[in-house]
């Protein structure tokens, strides 16, 4: 009977996977460290491909450790570091630069400009957040402004972006979605209407069409696609939950 759960925990310093029994017992657990990159003081980055490789490796090892068959797994769920942003090519899946991590302060000056523009009250009312470089919105805009041709490619619909949940789900299933708890940490999301806010996307210069489709924390987002190296046995298992 398919009644066991695979859980991914993609954190700031490591990627972890756990297999849970129906009673909540841990049947398999694996964890792989994640490299931190500091290109300048106050800047923090991760390699998006290392995020994938460490997460997939821990998933493979935890499942093998559990001794279960693929048919025993009911679903896979994801929890992840919040606010960290990745921008990638829609067709090839290649990231256009390293992920900009939640701790990174490179957009602090842009946040001061936004505050001075008088949009702060609207941000607070719409998103529940204060304007800060901590959140994802200004990070996305920074990437589009500083990677050659990135903004033009984004406007042409050739790029996608998202937080780490979105990056993992897209690579696992091919679906470009992000759950409400992650969307709510971008400074672009209306927490009452549960959708991207046009005015904030315009103010932060983030093309709305590159953002993932917002989805609930629980629901079938897609199924693990065939052909992922090392995860072939898990193809078809539904990805059913996410939380930042």
């Amino acid at each position: 009977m398919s009644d066991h759960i695979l859980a991914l925990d993609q954190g700031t310093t490591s990627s972890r996977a756990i297999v849970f029994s129906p009673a909540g017992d841990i049947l398999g657990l694996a964890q792989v460290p994640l490299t931190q990159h500091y290109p300048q003081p106050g800047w923090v980055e991760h390699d998006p491909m290392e995020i994938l490789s460490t997460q997939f490796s821990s998933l493979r090892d935890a499942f093998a450790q559990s001794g279960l068959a693929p048919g025993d797994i009911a679903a896979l769920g994801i929890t992840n570091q919040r606010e960290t942003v990745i921008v990638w090519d829609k067709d090839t899946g290649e990231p256009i630069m390293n992920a900009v991590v939640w701790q990174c302060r490179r957009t602090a000056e842009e946040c001061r400009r936004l505050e001075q523009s008088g949009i702060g009250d609207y941000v607070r009312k719409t998103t529940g957040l204060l304007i800060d470089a901590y959140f994802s919105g200004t990070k996305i805009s920074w990437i589009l402004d500083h990677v050659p041709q990135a903004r033009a490619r984004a406007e042409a619909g050739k790029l996608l972006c998202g937080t780490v949940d979105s990056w993992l789900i897209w690579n696992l299933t091919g679906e470009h979605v992000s759950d409400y708890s992650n969307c709510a940490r971008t400074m672009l999301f209306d927490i009452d209407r549960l959708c991207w806010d046009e005015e904030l996307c315009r103010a932060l210069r983030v093309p709305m069409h590159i953002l993932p489709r917002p989805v609930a924390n629980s629901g079938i987002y897609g199924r693990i696609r065939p052909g992922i190296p090392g995860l072939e046995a898990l193809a078809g298992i539904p990805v059913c939950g996410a939380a930042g």
Side-chain angles (χ1 to χ4, degrees):
M1 183 178 177
S2 301
D3 53 6
H4 294 73
I5 299 295
L6 283 169
L8 304 187
D9 176 8
Q10 204 301 299
T12 307
T13 59
S14 72
S15 296
R16 183 168 56 161
I18 308 174
V19 183
F20 289 100
S21 76
D25 297 320
I26 293 175
L27 303 182
L29 188 156
Q31 188 167 2
V32 183
L34 183 65
T35 307
Q36 311 297 302
H37 300 274
Y38 305 101
Q40 293 187 30
W43 292 25
V44 190
E45 298 179 359
H46 290 157
D47 178 350
M49 301 309 292
E50 186 183 7
I51 289 175
L52 279 188
S53 65
T54 55
Q55 189 63 89
F56 288 0
S57 174
S58 66
L59 173 56
R60 181 187 66 241
D61 293 349
F63 176 69
Q65 188 184 121
S66 73
L68 298 173
D72 296 324
I73 305 299
L76 179 145
I78 296 170
T79 183
N80 58 280
Q81 55 170 309
R82 305 180 307 178
E83 297 96 13
T84 297
V85 161
I86 300 160
V87 179
W88 66 95
D89 187 283
K90 184 178 182 179
D91 295 322
T92 68
E94 288 292 321
I96 67 170
M97 66 165 283
N98 275 348
V100 179
V101 177
W102 60 272
Q103 300 156 312
C104 188
R105 302 301 298 173
R106 73 184 65 190
T107 64
E109 187 57 40
E110 173 65 10
C111 288
R112 280 190 285 272
R113 185 194 69 77
L114 284 169
E115 192 67 63
Q116 290 167 2
S117 76
I119 201 174
D121 286 343
Y122 184 80
V123 170
R124 284 187 286 275
K125 177 183 176 182
T126 305
T127 70
L129 306 175
L130 301 175
I131 294 175
D132 197 276
Y134 183 62
F135 304 114
S136 311
T138 56
K139 301 179 193 297
I140 299 169
S141 188
W142 188 97
I143 293 171
L144 297 183
D145 285 340
H146 288 82
V147 175
Q149 302 301 313
R151 188 164 288 280
R153 291 169 67 194
E155 296 289 356
K158 296 181 179 180
L159 299 179
L160 299 175
C161 78
T163 44
V164 171
D165 64 314
S166 180
W167 172 240
L168 292 174
I169 294 169
W170 189 86
N171 278 280
L172 284 167
T173 71
E175 297 295 326
H176 189 218
V177 300
S178 181
D179 88 279
Y180 296 152
S181 69
N182 279 286
C183 293
R185 305 300 291 179
T186 62
M187 216 163 68
L188 299 169
F189 191 68
D190 188 317
I191 59 173
D192 293 313
R193 295 186 296 138
L194 297 178
C195 64
W196 301 115
D197 184 82
E198 291 186 9
E199 184 170 339
L200 290 175
C201 287
R202 184 165 51 249
L204 274 67
R205 299 178 305 112
V206 174
M208 193 177 292
H209 60 266
I210 73 172
L211 294 168
R213 175 170 57 91
V215 293
N217 298 96
S218 180
I220 298 178
Y221 310 141
R223 294 179 181 272
I224 297 177
R225 58 183 175 82
I228 300 175
L231 302 184
E232 293 90 348
L234 302 180
I237 290 174
V239 179
C240 292

